[in-house]
Amino acid sequence: MTDTERRPRGDEAFVRDLMDATAIDGASTAMVFPLRFLGASLLIAWLCCTHIVEVFPVTGAHDLAARNMGDLFMRIGDISTFVVLAIAAPRIGSLACHRHALWALSGITSAGTAICGFVLIPGSSGAAALALGSVVTAVGGAVLFCTWAQIYSRMGATQTVVYGAASCIAAMLVSLGIVSMKQPVALALTSILPLLCAACALAGQKLVAPEAPWKSDVRFPMPWKLIALMIIAAFMSGLCGLLLSNQTGGAIHRVLATGLAGVALLGMAFVLRERFDARLLAKVSLPLALIALVSMPFAGSEFGALVSMAAKFAYVWFTLFVLLLLANIARRFEVPALRMFAIVRACSEAAILAGVVAKRSIWEFDLHYDQAFLFGLFGGFCGRDSGIGPAQRAKTTIWN
């Protein structure tokens, strides 16, 4: 992921490359930072806030059962949309080029967020109405994710790192700002985030290189080994709130983990400079995830928040590594990004969903208080992971 193949070495070259990466084309605006590329932070903030009970729904934890059902079907809608995008990728091409469809889907997501949060969940609506509303709400969010993936894949390597890290930091600030507000303002602001995100995406896509055309006679291989590691990390992220006694606090840990991961990534890019390699993210994140898993049987509910925070930080950290790597692959080899990112995201979201379902099932039977069960769960994961060699695998070839 380094940019050393395209620029000379040295601090001066790094600073020059950084300025080029974050400036709008044109001599008169060379020092202007296009904040529109931080629009991805609005999508991340929307994803975070719709999983925080203090924000979504408007009545908070009083509707926990209905909210959990809405969350379940939003994830199902999310995964289904990614599958459809992966299948239809050759026909769709660049999502940002479909302006009217992007505006419409983003508007539906904004409206769906408001309807589910203000009406369907608090009003104890029927299961069918809540399920349909949640599935439809998720579609625009999935499309926006792939839109930003395509945009970031057409940036330079330095630009991708800087804006990716800055978007994580901005997402944390936006999310914490919304959490600090009272209802109904918090949910109203959350509801308009998809539309603001779409506006930034449509403005930002004009400043990047055009999408590489789909070549029907070329087969693009998928990094299945890397996806397998991400599935494990995503499942652990969904499961890691197991020891939280209130069963509602894990979402805020993901907000904090997202911001901290962005700070760490941006710091690494500046401090390491010539030696920066995205594989360092995998070398840190996977061992951290295993540490969180190992500590689970010993932590108890007192330290459940620490386990949750560590596992979510590891997941976000590893996700950044995967997304940076895929963007680099798409850019260097002119691979259309939509199918690749849609498949990866579908797999990770399905793994998170499996982890969340497993966590809720364990809560239902009070197995999270059974230390013998936790030891067995931990042993099963260790047996599954023992042959992977995470740091080594991440360093070797990822192609299947």
Side-chain angles (χ1 to χ4, degrees):
M1 286 295 298
T2 58
D3 231 1
T4 53
E5 295 178 357
R6 301 184 182 183
R7 61 178 171 83
R9 293 181 174 272
D11 291 350
E12 183 180 349
F14 177 84
V15 174
R16 184 173 64 252
D17 207 30
L18 178 61
M19 296 302 298
D20 290 343
T22 53
I24 299 176
D25 293 336
S28 62
T29 57
M31 298 299 292
V32 178
F33 291 81
L35 295 179
R36 69 195 72 181
F37 285 131
L38 295 181
S41 66
L42 302 177
L43 173 62
I44 300 172
W46 176 79
L47 291 171
C48 290
C49 288
T50 51
H51 291 87
I52 299 175
V53 293
E54 291 83 3
V55 177
F56 184 84
V58 69
T59 49
H62 299 294
D63 305 290
L64 192 58
R67 183 202 171 281
N68 286 340
M69 180 180 177
D71 174 69
L72 172 67
F73 280 95
M74 281 186 70
R75 293 186 185 277
I76 291 174
D78 211 29
I79 296 167
S80 301
T81 304
F82 286 124
V83 172
V84 171
L85 290 174
I87 294 173
R91 291 181 174 272
I92 295 174
S94 176
L95 286 165
C97 292
H98 302 279
R99 298 179 61 89
H100 297 298
L102 189 60
W103 276 120
L105 292 173
S106 301
I108 291 173
T109 294
S110 288
T113 303
I115 292 171
C116 288
F118 282 112
V119 180
L120 295 182
I121 297 178
S124 299
S125 301
L130 180 56
L132 178 61
S134 299
V135 169
V136 172
T137 299
V139 173
V143 171
L144 283 171
F145 173 85
C146 289
T147 301
W148 279 105
Q150 289 183 312
I151 291 174
Y152 276 72
S153 297
R154 285 140 57 194
M155 294 179 176
T158 303
Q159 195 175 24
T160 304
V161 171
V162 170
Y163 277 112
S167 292
C168 290
I169 299 171
M172 179 185 69
L173 297 177
V174 171
S175 299
L176 293 179
I178 291 176
V179 170
S180 67
M181 297 178 182
K182 295 182 179 180
Q183 294 287 20
V185 176
L187 182 54
L189 289 177
T190 300
S191 299
I192 66 173
L193 289 178
L195 278 171
L196 297 177
C197 178
C200 292
L202 291 172
Q205 66 93 23
K206 300 176 182 179
L207 304 180
V208 295
E211 174 82 0
W214 188 278
K215 301 176 182 178
S216 58
D217 58 336
V218 178
R219 179 180 177 271
F220 303 113
M222 290 295 299
W224 293 113
K225 294 177 182 178
L226 191 65
I227 292 175
L229 291 176
M230 191 169 183
I231 288 174
I232 296 173
F235 181 80
M236 289 174 58
S237 176
L239 187 66
C240 66
L242 188 64
L243 301 179
L244 297 178
S245 57
N246 60 4
Q247 302 188 7
T248 61
I252 199 68
H253 298 155
R254 184 170 181 177
V255 173
L256 297 174
T258 299
L260 291 176
V263 171
L265 177 59
L266 203 57
M268 285 174 56
F270 275 95
V271 172
L272 297 179
R273 297 187 183 182
E274 302 301 334
R275 303 189 307 276
F276 175 70
D277 193 317
R279 290 176 296 186
L280 291 172
L281 305 183
K283 292 180 180 180
V284 173
S285 60
L286 292 176
L288 180 61
L290 291 177
I291 290 172
L293 186 63
V294 168
S295 63
M296 186 177 292
F298 307 99
S301 59
E302 300 85 358
F303 300 100
L306 292 177
V307 173
S308 174
M309 184 68 187
K312 288 188 180 297
F313 180 81
Y315 169 70
V316 173
W317 196 237
F318 188 69
T319 299
L320 285 174
F321 161 65
V322 173
L323 296 181
L324 289 174
L325 186 58
L326 293 181
N328 190 49
I329 290 172
R331 177 174 56 254
R332 292 182 60 186
F333 301 103
E334 297 186 351
V335 176
L338 180 55
R339 174 170 288 178
M340 185 165 54
F341 277 95
I343 290 175
V344 170
R345 189 67 173 175
C347 292
S348 66
E349 285 297 303
I352 290 178
L353 176 60
V356 169
V357 171
K359 177 178 64 179
R360 291 175 183 169
S361 300
I362 292 171
W363 275 339
E364 183 177 352
F365 294 99
D366 290 332
L367 293 175
H368 56 300
Y369 296 120
D370 189 340
Q371 194 172 38
F373 172 80
L374 294 178
F375 272 112
L377 183 66
F378 155 69
F381 267 106
C382 284
R384 184 175 179 180
D385 292 345
S386 60
I388 292 178
Q392 184 64 28
R393 283 289 181 90
K395 193 172 182 178
T396 57
T397 180
I398 62 170
W399 297 106
N400 193 13

